[in-house]
Amino acid sequence: MAGAAHSSEDQVELLRGVIDATRLLVVVADQTGVVQLINRAAARTTGLTEAAWHRPIWELAAFPAERELLRGAFTPFRREAFPPAVMFHLTRAEQAPRGVDWDVRVVNDRPEPRIVFTGVEVSERLIEHQRLRQAEVFQRQILDRLPAIVWTTDEKMRTTFSAGGGLSALGLASGEVSIIGTPVTSYFHTEDPHHPAIAAHLRALAGESTVMEMAWFGRRFHSRIEPLRDDRGQIVGVIGVSFDVTELKQTAQALHESESLLTRVVDANVIGVFFWEENGRITQANDAFLQIVGFSREELLSPGISWQALTAPEHRPLDQRALAELRATGRCTAYEKAYITKGGVRVPVLVGGATFDRPTAGEMAGAAFVVDMREQARLRDAREKLLRNERAARVDAELANARLQLLVEGSQALSPRLNPNEILQSLAELTIPALADWCYTVHRGWDDGNMLVASAHGDPNKRALLARLGPHRPEAGDDEGPGRVFRTGEVALYEDVNLDRLSARAWDPGEALVLRELGARAVLCVPIAGRSGVDAVMILVSSQDPLRYNREEVLLAQDLAARAAVSLENGRLLFEALDAVRARDDFLAVAAHELRTPLTSLLLHIQMLRQGLARDEADLSAFNRSVGAVDGQARRLSNLVDGLLDVARVGNNRMGLRFEEVDLREMVDDVVSTMAADFRGAGCRVLVTAPQRATVRWDRDRIEQVLTNLFSNAIKFGAGRPIELCAAVRGPMVEISVRDHGIGVSKEDQARIFGRFERAVSTRHFGGLGLGLYITAQILRAHRGSIRVESEPGQGARFIVTLPRGLEEAATFTDSPMAH
C-alpha cells in the first residue's frame, strides 16, 4: 500500500510537471466555477500569483459579455449541458487582454467533478484575421468607388467576378453585372469570335494584352484586357478593366469645335489674341498681338519672355486682380493697362480674358483679347490736355489773385507791428483758413532765450484746446520737424502724417491727446529767417487733407514768412537799439556813481589840507593821513579809468601782451603783499598754496591784473571771511583757483557774469562797473587760457583759471561774442 501510495504521488507530481511544461494554458475549476489550479503558462498570461488563483473563473474574463457567458454555464452546473469549447479573453494586469480558444473537459474526480479548460492563445491570429477582413473591405470599397468596371473570367470565358463604380453609368451597382458563371458571349448576344470584345478575350487567353474601345448600352468604353495567371504562371482566365469615356469623347468633340471657332477668330486679326498660362508662359499669339508688342512669334513663345514681364510695372497689380477674378469666375472684366514693346515703347491697351476651364486649384490657362488703344489714348490725352490747360490757367489766375491779396493783407498786418508776440500772432491768424486749418509758430526768443509761441485755429470751439498746447522746444539734433527746419533752414513738408509718432517725439502725453483731438493729416514747416540763421518756424497744419500743400501754397507760405522775418528783424533792431540806450544809460549812471565817490572823497581831503595849510597848523600825522587818503582815492579813480581804457583797447584790438619768464610763487606773493591793506580793511585772511619753484612764461602785468581782479571780487562778496588761493602745475598746464566764502553765484547767473557790464547783484549794495571779470576773461583768452566758476548761492564761489605754462609769441585781445 505504501508503494502504491508512493506511486500515486509520483504520478501526481509527474502530471503536474507535464501541465507546467506545456505551452497550452490550463485552468482547473470545480463545479461552482472556482479555480483550483492553473499552470505556469496561464499564470504568466494572467499575471496572477498562487494566492490569487482561487476565484470564480468568469472573473478571469476581460469583457462583460464573456463573464456573463461563463457565469451562466456554472449556474447551475450541468455536466451534459456544459459547452465542449468556449472563446474568451483573459484579463491581464496593466496590459491588453489576450484572446484564448478553450477546449473544455468535465473530469470525474470524486467526490465532485472538475472542469478542465485547455486553451490556445489566438490573439495574433484574431488580429491578422481582422486585418485581412479590413483589407478585403477596403479593397472592395476602392473597387466600388473606382470609375471603372473590373471583371474576371475563367478559361472558358465564364464570369467569375465583377465590380466597379463605372457600372453606375449602366444603372447597376457594383457586382450586379450578372450572375457568376455567365458566359462573356451572352453580354454581346453573339458568339462570333471576330467580335471585338470576344476576340480580345480570346487573345488574352492566348497570353496577349489587348486595348480596345467600343460602344455598349449606348455608352463608349475604353477597355484593357490581360491574361489572368495562377501561382505557377498558368493562364486560368482573363482580367479586364473598362473606363466610361462617353463624356470625355463628347467634351473632346465640343473642344475641337470650339478650338476651330477660336482659331477662325484668332486668325481674323481684328484684335490681338494670345494664349497664356498662369506661370507667365505665352503658348500662342496671332499676328495682331505680335504687331502690338513688336516681337516675332519665335521670340514671344520662347521661355525668356512672359506676359507678366510685358506689362508696365505700375499696372501689374491690375493683372493680379484680373487673375483673382479669372480664378473665381472663369473670366475677367476688361481693363486698361500698358504693354512695353520690344523697343521699350509703352503701348496703351484694353485687355479682357477667359480661362479654358473654370479653375478650382492649380495653375490656370486661357486666352487674352487685346485692343490697341494708342489712337484712342492720343485723342483722349489731347482732349484732357486742353481741359487741363484751361483749368490750370483759371486756377493760376485765381491763385495769383488770392496770393496777391493775402500778401497785401499780410504786409498791412505785419508792417506796423514791432513786438515779436504781436508779429507771430498776426502771422498765425493770416494763414487761417487760406493756408491751414490751424497754425502754430515758435520763436527762439531774443534776450533771455525763452521760446515765443503763437497759434490760431479756424474753429472757434478749438481755440481754447489749441491754447493748451505748451511751447514746443525743437531739438537741434531732430531728424525731422521744426528742429530740422531750425538746423537746415529748409522747408519741410509731411503728408499723410503718423500722428502717434509725431506726438510721441515732440510733446508730452497730455499734449499728445490735444494733438489727436486737433487732428493733423498734413504738416508744412516754413523757416522764418533771422540775422544769423533761422529765428522762428511757422507750422501750418491741415486736419483733414493729407495732400493739402502744393508748390504754389508752399511758395505763398514762404513769402509770408519772408515778410514776417522783415517785421521781426525791425522789431529786433528796435529792441537792440532800446537795449543799447538802456545799457548806455545804466552804464553812465553806474560810472558816474563810481567816479563821483572817490572824486568827492578826494576833493574833501584836498579841502581839509588847504584849510590846514591856511591856518598854518603843523599836525604832521593828520597831514599824512589826509595825503594817504588822497593817494588811495586817486589810485581808485585811476583803476576805474584804466578799466574803462582796457575795455576800449579790447574792443579795438589794441592791447598787446609782453611775455617773460615769471616765478609763479613770487608773482602770487607780490599780488597778496600789494593788496594786504585791502585784505585787512575787509577782514579777510588769505591762505596761499603754490609750488616754491615753478617758472611760467606769461605777461606778468596782465596775469597780476587777473589775480587782483579775482581777489577784489572775493573781498567784495566775501568780506569778513577767509580767501583761499591754490596754484598747481599739471603737466603743460597751470591751474589757479581763488575761493571765497561769500554770497555765491546762482546757476542762472554763472553763464553771464563774464560779460561786459554784467553783474549778478544790485549796484546799490555792491559797487563796480561790471568790467573786472570781463577783462579777466579777455586777458586769459589772449593767453590761450580759460576761466570758469563753481558756486552755489550762500556757499561762496571758486573761480578756476587754466593757463598754458609757456607761450612763445605775443597775442592781441579780440573781443568775441563767445566771451559775453
Side-chain angles (χ1 to χ4, degrees), residues 577-751:
L578 294 176
D579 187 59
V581 170
R582 185 170 53 254
R584 182 201 64 189
D585 293 344
D586 290 345
F587 172 71
L588 291 176
V590 171
H593 178 269
E594 291 294 320
L595 291 171
R596 184 184 296 113
T597 300
L599 187 60
T600 300
S601 177
L602 182 61
L603 293 174
L604 178 62
H605 284 89
I606 290 174
Q607 185 179 2
M608 292 173 61
L609 285 173
R610 184 181 292 114
Q611 291 175 354
L613 291 173
R615 291 194 299 269
D616 195 19
E617 295 179 356
D619 188 349
L620 187 59
S621 62
F623 182 83
N624 289 334
R625 284 197 300 274
S626 296
V627 170
V630 168
D631 180 65
Q633 296 302 328
R635 281 193 301 110
R636 181 178 176 186
L637 189 60
S638 176
N639 288 336
L640 289 173
V641 173
D642 287 343
L644 294 175
L645 290 174
D646 281 345
V647 172
R649 294 189 186 104
V650 169
N652 296 320
N653 297 330
R654 293 202 306 268
M655 183 179 286
L657 300 179
R658 295 182 299 276
F659 292 100
E660 60 180 303
E661 299 289 336
V662 178
D663 183 275
L664 178 60
R665 180 59 185 254
E666 178 187 346
M667 180 183 65
V668 171
D669 289 343
D670 286 349
V671 172
V672 172
S673 176
T674 301
M675 298 186 67
D678 296 323
F679 292 136
R680 286 194 301 273
C684 295
R685 183 166 55 92
V686 181
L687 304 176
V688 175
T689 303
Q692 290 297 327
R693 286 181 296 278
T695 303
V696 295
R697 184 175 176 79
W698 295 336
D699 183 319
R700 176 167 183 154
D701 291 341
R702 292 302 179 186
I703 299 302
E704 285 183 350
Q705 184 178 356
V706 168
L707 297 178
T708 300
N709 288 342
L710 294 179
F711 277 136
S712 298
N713 197 68
I715 290 171
K716 182 187 298 184
F717 298 108
R721 298 180 179 87
I723 300 173
E724 302 161 13
L725 182 145
C726 179
V729 178
R730 306 184 189 281
M733 305 299 291
V734 176
E735 183 178 285
I736 303 173
S737 66
V738 176
R739 177 180 178 83
D740 64 67
H741 296 272
I743 63 175
V745 184
S746 67
K747 295 290 185 183
E748 295 76 14
D749 293 329
Q750 288 177 19

Side-chain angles (χ1 to χ4, degrees), residues 199-430:
H201 280 76
L202 291 173
R203 285 196 296 273
L205 288 172
E208 297 181 20
S209 297
T210 303
V211 177
M212 56 171 286
E213 189 174 303
M214 62 173 291
W216 192 39
F217 288 96
R219 310 288 294 178
R220 297 292 298 182
F221 287 90
H222 179 85
S223 304
R224 184 178 185 90
I225 302 173
E226 298 278 354
L228 184 63
R229 302 177 185 271
D230 61 10
D231 295 339
R232 295 174 298 173
Q234 299 297 320
I235 296 175
V236 295
V238 168
I239 182 169
V241 180
S242 289
F243 293 92
D244 188 342
V245 295
T246 305
E247 284 76 12
L248 184 61
K249 287 292 183 180
Q250 295 171 350
T251 301
Q253 180 63 28
L255 180 60
H256 176 71
E257 295 174 356
S258 176
E259 288 178 348
S260 298
L261 176 60
L262 183 59
T263 299
R264 290 195 294 273
V265 172
V266 170
D267 292 342
N269 286 315
V270 176
I271 61 173
V273 180
F274 70 91
F275 300 99
W276 53 270
E277 293 178 351
E278 189 175 0
N279 58 16
R281 183 169 175 263
I282 298 175
T283 59
Q284 191 53 269
N286 67 351
D287 293 338
F289 184 72
L290 295 175
Q291 292 174 4
I292 291 173
V293 296
F295 289 93
S296 68
R297 182 168 279 102
E298 291 74 17
E299 291 172 334
L300 195 65
L301 302 185
S302 66
I305 295 180
S306 68
W307 59 263
Q308 295 108 323
L310 292 176
T311 302
E314 67 271 19
H315 293 153
R316 289 172 188 170
L318 300 177
D319 286 345
Q320 296 302 316
R321 287 199 290 270
L323 283 175
E325 186 178 357
L326 284 166
R327 184 173 293 281
T329 65
R331 59 189 178 83
C332 72
T333 305
Y335 61 100
E336 292 188 26
K337 68 173 186 176
Y339 279 130
I340 300 178
T341 68
K342 181 180 179 180
V345 178
R346 290 171 176 255
V347 178
V349 294
L350 180 68
V351 180
T355 58
F356 294 139
D357 293 305
R358 182 171 175 177
T360 57
E363 288 194 348
M364 294 183 294
F369 307 97
V370 183
V371 179
D372 190 338
M373 299 289 289
R374 276 179 284 198
E375 183 61 23
Q376 291 87 335
R378 187 186 66 79
L379 295 175
R380 181 174 58 193
D381 289 345
R383 184 177 65 254
E384 290 180 353
K385 184 177 180 180
L386 289 174
L387 293 174
R388 205 163 41 245
N389 290 340
E390 181 185 353
R391 286 195 300 267
R394 185 169 60 251
V395 170
D396 287 344
E398 293 173 355
L399 288 176
N401 291 333
R403 284 199 299 269
L404 181 60
Q405 183 178 357
L406 184 59
L407 291 175
V408 170
E409 293 176 355
S411 297
Q412 293 174 348
L414 296 174
S415 297
R417 303 185 186 278
L418 296 174
N419 183 286
N421 286 314
E422 295 179 357
I423 295 171
L424 295 177
Q425 188 62 41
S426 297
L427 177 64
E429 293 173 354
L430 275 171

Side-chain angles (χ1 to χ4, degrees), residues 398-410 426-439 456-459 463 524 538-543 545 547-558 560:
E398 293 173 355
L399 288 176
N401 291 333
R403 284 199 299 269
L404 181 60
Q405 183 178 357
L406 184 59
L407 291 175
V408 170
E409 293 176 355
S426 297
L427 177 64
E429 293 173 354
L430 275 171
T431 63
I432 308 299
L435 287 174
D437 295 325
W438 57 277
C439 177
H457 202 294
D459 185 351
R463 290 172 186 169
L524 176 62
M538 176 173 61
I539 306 170
L540 303 173
V541 183
S542 172
S543 302
D545 187 358
L547 303 175
R548 170 70 172 84
Y549 297 104
N550 54 31
R551 181 175 178 275
E552 289 74 16
E553 291 183 320
V554 173
L555 292 175
L556 178 57
Q558 289 179 294
L560 281 175

